[in-house]
Amino acid sequence: MEKKNFHIIAETGIHARPATLLVQAASKYNSDITLTFNDKSVNLKSIMGVMSLGVGQNADVTITADGEDETDALAAISDAMKKEGLAE
Amino acid sequence: MNYEEIAAKILKNIGGKENINTAWHCATRLRFKLLDENKAKTETIENIPGVITVVKSAGQYQIVIGNSVGKVFDSLADQAGLENKENQAASTNEKKDSLVNRFIAFISGTFTPFLGAMAGAGILKGLLALLVALGWLKTTSGTYEIWYAAGDALFNFLPIFLAFTAAKRLRVNQFVAVALAAALVYPTLVTVATKSQTLHFLGVPVVPTTYTSSVIPILLAVWVLSYLQPILDRIFPDAIRNIFTPLFSLIIMVPLTLIVVGPIGSGISNLLANAVSGVYNFAPIIAGIIMGAFWQVFVIFGVHWTFVPVMMNNIAKMGYDPLLPILAAAVLSQAGAALGVFLKTKDEKQKTLAGSGVVTGIFGITEPIIYGITLKMKRPFVCAVIAGGLGGAIIGAFKAKASSFTLPSLLALPTYLGKGFIGVIIGISVAFVLAAILTYFFGFEKSSSQATVSDQNLSQTGELVTAPVTGTIIPLTSVHDQVFASEAMGKGIAIVPTDGTLKSPVAGTVSAVYPTGHAIGLISDSGIEVLLHIGIDTVKLNGKYFKTLVKKEQHVTVNQELIKFDLEKIKQAGYDPTIMLVITNSKQYQITATQETVAKNNWLLQLDTKHDH
């Protein structure tokens, strides 16, 4: 199991467009991937779950990947976060 | 909006009037058949203020305008010098056509969910009749009685089934509708009707009518209920609504249906029966044509009932009835039409239904055929009418007689023995064969098979997602936001709103609310994940002009108000107000989208759970 913390810098937080891309990125991998915010965890492969967390600017979140391709998964998600300007 | 300007710009960018083959419009879209679609500059047209989007489908080039499409069309027709007559005819045909079409589509739609059951029950009835005719089973035996009940119950209590499906379509309380239907066929009322006693309700006479096996009366009643229920819901507070709305629905609707529908139906029925009998007396061929052609139409409207006493009376007085044999032509013409469909159609489901229809039709049961195939497809029904009329004319000409009262079918032939029997044989053969031939060659239209595909998709009892707001419906793929239009978030549909209240499209729980109020997530009670997003990029408004009325985890009912937004101010601020409805777990479903283009309290999407193969 691997995890990584992110600090959200995007003004509108994890919203529609970036949320979709994150979910798409996560869904490519077999590992179970969760997004945790304020002690609430959701499946990062479900848009509904991600958006229901309501992650806004300046939020601190943790993404956990558990499975064979956990390392690759986390790397890809990190990339996506940076590309979308969600986190540094 | 300057309609002339919009029309002029459209005309210019669509390749000019020379490129227009035909042009007409519906409630929200301009529809063109262009000679060369490549000549149309779609991007430019989409950017014309007043144009919502361009949709290319069904061989048409459609420009979505919204409510004022009529005015744009008129100006366009003027400027292009389109022949007014032709286009007026085209748009009024669409309207007239729509009313009849919608009526037929509604009727056949209420039957589709239980067509299989009806066809099965029909076959059982037919088999029983066959066994009795062969002498293998006696009508007095318990075996027969029980199996007869098994097969006939569906037809006898048909209004109950129809109430259930019609209520679902019209978004009315299904159980209230069923209670209403059950009241119409309630045993004591049925006895009263068969004894022709007149009841009085608060002093108003209730003409006895038999509602068993009828179609139109219950559909009318449920339709009225769809207007009554919202009114009652508004009157009664939440706490007592669950009980009081049904209570008053029943108090009002049952007597209303019995008092209003009954007399109308009986009146028409009486008129018809007497008229046709009269006609038979001086021109049997003409009576033959009328009965042979239109008997099934009478059955649909439930006005065939008073023919029965007339026929039984004839048998009692004269020992025979001349009208019954003619009906055999009507029945077998439907069977023939079913055969035509069976031979011609490539659709597996339709083939099976048609095939079973031929069998049940030969045994005299035509409901599965009529409501499952011929009426729905319209042309086969017309073919059956023509063939039936011809067959009936022949039978009438030969003055055939029925010596006892039996369900008209191939099995009833023994009752037609005697003078004129040859006429019956010829007549029903003509009816059957001609209907089959006509249907085979003329019964299919390219567009009708398109319509039946979407009709058949509605045959499953899938979940319906209704319109959350009023406005113009456009495909999700046409919205001006790549993330949504690419369907990356899931499949769905979009509406360009004309009012500022977002209502819940499903019954379920609020899974996500946003401080900015421009979006909301719901999970329906059955697990459908619905994301509603008001406007494009409206997150940037940071909550201005939006007011969320519900909380996370709150349970909501269909049409419950979720968000109020200021449509005008949002548009003035330069934002596209299109509302996107996305099913974020759409991979689990087979989604059928509505063919309508105007959203107002109707369903938008039907979701059928995909089964793993």
Side-chain angles (χ1 to χ4, degrees):
Chain A
M1 189 157 89
E2 272 192 43
K3 42 169 126 174
K4 194 158 175 200
N5 293 332
F6 296 89
H7 182 78
I8 306 297
I9 53 175
E11 235 183 78
T12 48
I14 302 186
H15 189 64
R17 187 176 293 108
T20 315
L21 293 157
L22 270 188
V23 170
Q24 281 185 327
S27 301
K28 289 199 189 109
Y29 298 93
N30 285 329
S31 308
D32 288 323
I33 308 181
T34 20
L35 172 69
T36 312
F37 171 58
N38 270 354
D39 289 330
K40 279 194 280 205
S41 291
V42 294
N43 180 1
L44 190 56
K45 294 184 190 172
S46 155
I47 292 241
M48 217 36 144
V50 172
M51 295 183 67
S52 71
L53 270 188
V55 178
Q57 191 179 30
N58 288 327
D60 286 304
V61 303
T62 310
I63 297 186
T64 320
D66 189 10
E68 290 176 334
D69 44 13
E70 50 192 44
T71 327
D72 291 329
L74 264 187
I77 294 174
S78 267
D79 272 342
M81 293 280 250
K82 288 206 190 96
K83 239 206 268 169
E84 289 305 308
L86 279 173
E88 284 152 332
Chain B
M1 270 219 253
N2 186 331
Y3 306 117
E4 270 124 40
E5 247 185 70
I6 301 175
K9 289 191 185 147
I10 292 179
L11 196 53
K12 184 165 144 210
N13 288 294
I14 208 171
K17 65 175 182 214
E18 313 81 59
N19 199 19
I20 301 180
N21 186 346
T22 34
W24 70 109
H25 69 92
C26 70
T28 53
R29 306 177 183 196
L30 293 172
R31 293 165 184 258
F32 298 93
K33 277 221 171 84
L34 298 175
L35 294 171
D36 183 358
E37 264 191 16
N38 292 324
K39 286 207 182 132
K41 304 203 186 97
T42 308
E43 257 193 61
T44 320
I45 295 181
E46 279 189 334
N47 285 327
I48 302 174
V51 172
I52 294 177
T53 189
V54 171
V55 177
K56 290 186 229 176
S57 105
Q60 298 168 10
Y61 191 86
Q62 306 171 0
I63 303 181
V64 185
I65 305 279
N67 290 341
S68 34
V69 65
K71 303 203 181 103
V72 177
F73 180 81
D74 287 337
S75 178
L76 187 99
D78 244 356
Q79 295 178 38
L82 294 172
E83 287 225 330
N84 269 327
K85 253 196 231 167
E86 199 188 288
N87 295 307
Q88 252 180 13
S91 47
T92 43
N93 260 351
E94 268 234 350
K95 277 186 225 157
K96 246 197 233 167
D97 210 317
S98 319
L99 200 58
V100 175
N101 271 354
R102 279 202 308 225
F103 180 67
I104 295 181
F106 177 67
I107 296 194
S108 28
T110 47
F111 275 86
T112 354
F114 64 94
L115 265 182
M118 186 158 75
I123 294 186
L124 177 54
K125 276 180 77 170
L127 277 179
L128 280 178
L130 181 61
L131 290 177
V132 168
L134 287 177
W136 292 358
L137 197 57
K138 285 212 159 65
T139 49
T140 43
S141 69
T143 318
Y144 176 82
E145 300 264 22
I146 293 179
W147 265 339
Y148 187 77
D152 193 46
L154 193 151
F155 295 97
N156 194 342
F157 296 106
L158 196 56
I160 295 185
F161 292 83
L162 293 173
F164 191 73
T165 51
K168 187 156 200 239
R169 279 183 81 114
L170 296 177
R171 296 244 136 204
V172 173
N173 185 325
Q174 285 175 294
F175 297 98
V176 172
V178 168
L180 170 54
L184 293 183
V185 296
Y186 198 74
T188 33
L189 290 184
V190 172
T191 325
V192 165
T194 37
K195 292 207 188 132
S196 285
Q197 300 158 346
T198 314
L199 283 177
H200 282 84
F201 180 77
L202 298 181
V204 181
V206 177
V207 178
T209 322
T210 330
Y211 290 95
T212 52
S213 311
S214 69
V215 172
I216 302 286
I218 187 59
L219 291 183
L220 274 177
V222 176
W223 181 69
V224 172
L225 186 58
S226 73
Y227 286 95
L228 179 64
Q229 189 176 290
I231 297 178
L232 292 176
D233 275 340
R234 274 201 286 269
I235 298 179
F236 298 117
D238 217 357
I240 58 170
R241 193 179 296 163
N242 271 348
I243 300 179
F244 274 71
T245 300
L247 169 61
F248 280 86
S249 300
L250 290 173
I251 289 183
I252 298 173
M253 287 307 303
V254 176
L256 188 65
T257 316
L258 291 173
I259 294 177
V260 174
V261 181
I264 298 180
S266 293
I268 300 180
S269 208
N270 273 322
L271 215 72
L272 277 175
N274 289 323
V276 176
S277 289
V279 171
Y280 187 87
N281 284 331
F282 73 85
I285 298 185
I286 299 187
I289 298 179
I290 299 178
M291 292 291 277
F294 296 111
W295 176 249
Q296 299 292 3
V297 180
F298 297 159
V299 172
I300 294 176
F301 283 89
V303 292
H304 61 301
W305 280 111
T306 26
F307 279 93
V308 174
V310 169
M311 293 178 196
M312 297 186 100
N313 199 29
N314 282 338
I315 294 180
K317 277 209 235 145
M318 305 187 286
Y320 64 84
D321 169 67
L323 296 176
L324 271 169
I326 303 176
L327 302 189
V331 167
L332 279 149
S333 68
Q334 289 289 340
L339 182 64
V341 172
F342 174 74
L343 294 172
K344 185 88 189 267
T345 188
K346 298 201 174 55
D347 186 299
E348 283 295 326
K349 268 199 201 160
Q350 215 177 33
K351 224 177 168 71
T352 324
L353 199 59
S356 71
V358 178
V359 175
T360 56
I362 294 184
F363 292 131
I365 294 140
T366 50
E367 279 94 341
I369 308 177
I370 296 179
Y371 297 109
I373 307 170
T374 52
L375 184 61
K376 208 202 285 205
M377 294 172 63
K378 284 167 285 200
R379 277 190 177 202
F381 193 83
V382 175
C383 297
V385 166
I386 298 175
L390 198 57
I394 297 177
I395 298 179
F398 277 79
K399 296 219 182 160
K401 302 175 173 44
S403 55
S404 64
F405 189 86
T406 352
L407 200 63
S409 79
L410 212 61
L411 298 174
L413 279 180
T415 60
Y416 308 141
L417 283 170
K419 185 166 169 238
F421 186 62
I422 291 284
V424 178
I425 303 284
I426 302 179
I428 59 180
S429 312
V430 167
F432 186 75
V433 173
L434 186 60
I437 296 179
L438 284 176
T439 309
Y440 189 82
F441 288 109
F442 302 109
F444 287 76
E445 236 185 68
K446 263 194 223 154
S447 49
S448 72
S449 46
Q450 251 185 356
T452 39
V453 166
S454 52
D455 272 341
Q456 275 164 356
N457 276 339
L458 284 182
S459 68
Q460 276 102 42
T461 39
E463 279 285 318
L464 294 179
V465 173
T466 45
V469 71
T470 44
T472 308
I473 300 177
I474 59 173
L476 188 63
T477 45
S478 301
V479 300
H480 301 137
D481 180 322
Q482 254 314 92
V483 179
F484 288 98
S486 64
E487 294 185 328
M489 299 180 84
K491 289 198 188 281
I493 201 163
I495 303 180
V496 182
T498 48
D499 74 87
T501 311
L502 188 75
K503 299 193 269 217
S504 181
V506 291
T509 324
V510 177
S511 63
V513 286
Y514 297 84
T516 42
H518 70 295
I520 187 166
L522 305 158
I523 300 193
S524 84
D525 290 330
S526 60
I528 305 173
E529 292 177 4
V530 183
L531 175 65
L532 288 157
H533 195 286
I534 307 176
I536 295 178
D537 282 336
T538 38
V539 61
K540 295 192 187 137
L541 280 169
N542 231 341
K544 215 167 168 197
Y545 311 138
F546 293 97
K547 181 160 182 230
T548 308
L549 305 168
V550 293
K551 292 194 288 264
K552 193 166 165 183
E553 303 295 315
Q554 185 175 338
H555 190 270
V556 293
T557 53
V558 177
N559 281 335
Q560 184 164 341
E561 294 184 359
L562 301 173
I563 297 177
K564 276 215 185 287
F565 56 97
D566 193 329
L567 182 60
E568 285 317 309
K569 295 235 171 74
I570 294 175
K571 289 203 278 199
Q572 275 167 23
Y575 290 87
D576 181 332
T578 306
I579 297 185
M580 279 80 68
L581 189 157
V582 182
I583 310 289
T584 53
N585 57 348
S586 49
K587 287 215 182 81
Q588 299 173 14
Y589 303 100
Q590 175 83 13
I591 300 181
T592 318
T594 183
Q595 306 283 357
E596 302 267 332
T597 55
V598 179
K600 51 173 176 196
N601 205 36
N602 49 4
W603 65 277
L604 288 181
L605 302 170
Q606 172 170 302
L607 274 64
D608 295 295
T609 317
K610 278 193 194 156
H611 297 289
D612 295 324
H613 288 289

Coordinates of all heavy atoms in Angstrom, one line a residue, chain A residues 12 15 17 20 24 46-48 51-52, chain B residues 483 488-489 511-512 514 518 522 530 552:
Chain A
T12 N -10.8 26.4 -7.5 CA -12.1 25.8 -7.4 C -12.0 24.4 -6.9 O -13.0 23.6 -6.9 CB -12.8 25.7 -8.8 OG1 -11.9 25.2 -9.7 CG2 -13.2 27.1 -9.2
H15 N -12.8 20.0 -8.9 CA -14.2 20.1 -9.4 C -14.3 19.3 -10.8 O -13.4 18.6 -11.2 CB -14.4 21.6 -9.6 CG -15.9 21.8 -10.0 ND1 -16.9 21.5 -9.2 CD2 -16.4 22.2 -11.2 CE1 -18.0 21.7 -9.8 NE2 -17.8 22.2 -11.0
R17 N -14.1 19.2 -14.2 CA -13.1 18.9 -15.2 C -11.9 18.1 -14.6 O -11.6 17.0 -14.9 CB -12.6 20.1 -15.9 CG -11.7 19.8 -17.1 CD -11.3 21.0 -17.8 NE -12.4 21.6 -18.5 CZ -13.0 22.7 -18.2 NH1 -12.6 23.4 -17.1 NH2 -14.1 23.2 -18.9
T20 N -12.9 14.6 -13.2 CA -13.0 13.6 -14.3 C -11.7 13.0 -14.7 O -11.6 11.8 -14.8 CB -13.7 14.2 -15.5 OG1 -14.8 15.1 -15.1 CG2 -14.2 13.2 -16.5
Q24 N -10.5 9.3 -14.4 CA -10.1 8.5 -15.6 C -8.7 7.9 -15.4 O -8.5 6.8 -15.7 CB -10.1 9.4 -16.8 CG -11.5 9.6 -17.3 CD -11.5 10.4 -18.6 OE1 -10.6 11.3 -18.8 NE2 -12.4 10.1 -19.5
S46 N -14.7 6.7 -8.7 CA -16.1 7.1 -8.9 C -16.2 8.6 -8.8 O -15.8 9.2 -7.8 CB -16.9 6.4 -7.9 OG -18.1 7.2 -7.7
I47 N -16.7 9.2 -9.9 CA -16.8 10.7 -9.9 C -17.7 11.1 -8.8 O -17.4 12.1 -8.1 CB -17.5 11.1 -11.3 CG1 -16.6 10.8 -12.4 CG2 -17.9 12.5 -11.2 CD1 -16.2 12.1 -13.2
M48 N -18.8 10.4 -8.6 CA -19.7 10.8 -7.6 C -19.1 10.9 -6.2 O -19.2 11.9 -5.5 CB -20.8 9.8 -7.5 CG -22.2 10.3 -7.3 SD -22.5 11.9 -8.0 CE -24.2 11.6 -8.4
M51 N -16.6 13.9 -6.0 CA -17.2 15.2 -5.9 C -18.0 15.4 -4.7 O -18.2 16.5 -4.2 CB -18.1 15.4 -7.2 CG -17.2 15.5 -8.4 SD -18.1 15.9 -9.9 CE -18.6 17.5 -9.7
S52 N -18.4 14.3 -4.1 CA -19.2 14.4 -2.8 C -18.3 14.8 -1.7 O -18.8 15.3 -0.6 CB -19.9 13.1 -2.5 OG -19.0 12.1 -2.1
Chain B
V483 N -15.5 18.4 -21.5 CA -15.5 17.4 -20.5 C -16.8 16.7 -20.4 O -16.9 15.5 -20.4 CB -15.2 18.0 -19.1 CG1 -15.3 16.9 -18.0 CG2 -13.9 18.7 -19.1
A488 N -17.0 11.9 -20.9 CA -16.0 11.4 -20.1 C -16.5 11.1 -18.7 O -16.1 10.2 -18.0 CB -14.8 12.3 -20.0
M489 N -17.5 11.9 -18.3 CA -18.1 11.7 -16.9 C -19.2 10.7 -17.0 O -19.7 10.3 -15.9 CB -18.6 13.0 -16.4 CG -17.5 14.1 -16.3 SD -18.2 15.6 -15.7 CE -18.1 15.3 -13.9
S511 N -26.2 13.2 -2.6 CA -24.9 12.6 -2.2 C -23.8 13.7 -2.2 O -22.8 13.6 -1.5 CB -24.4 11.6 -3.2 OG -24.3 12.1 -4.5
A512 N -24.1 14.8 -2.8 CA -23.1 15.9 -2.8 C -23.7 17.2 -3.1 O -24.5 17.4 -4.0 CB -22.0 15.6 -3.9
Y514 N -22.7 21.5 -3.2 CA -21.5 22.4 -3.4 C -21.8 23.7 -2.8 O -22.9 24.3 -2.9 CB -21.1 22.5 -4.9 CG -20.8 21.2 -5.4 CD1 -21.8 20.3 -5.8 CD2 -19.4 20.7 -5.4 CE1 -21.4 19.0 -6.3 CE2 -19.1 19.5 -5.8 CZ -20.1 18.6 -6.3 OH -19.8 17.4 -6.7
H518 N -23.8 25.4 -7.8 CA -24.1 25.3 -9.2 C -24.2 23.9 -9.7 O -24.4 23.6 -10.9 CB -23.0 26.0 -10.0 CG -21.7 25.3 -10.0 ND1 -21.0 25.1 -8.8 CD2 -21.0 24.6 -10.9 CE1 -20.0 24.4 -9.0 NE2 -19.9 24.0 -10.3
L522 N -26.7 13.3 -6.9 CA -27.8 12.5 -6.3 C -27.5 11.0 -6.5 O -27.0 10.6 -7.6 CB -29.2 12.8 -6.9 CG -29.6 14.2 -6.9 CD1 -30.7 14.4 -7.9 CD2 -30.2 14.6 -5.5
V530 N -26.6 10.4 -10.3 CA -27.0 11.5 -11.2 C -26.2 12.7 -10.8 O -26.2 13.1 -9.7 CB -28.5 11.8 -11.1 CG1 -28.8 12.9 -12.1 CG2 -29.3 10.5 -11.4
K552 N -26.9 17.6 2.2 CA -26.3 16.4 1.9 C -27.0 15.3 2.8 O -27.4 15.5 3.9 CB -24.8 16.4 2.3 CG -24.1 15.3 1.7 CD -22.6 15.5 1.7 CE -21.9 14.2 1.5 NZ -20.5 14.3 1.6

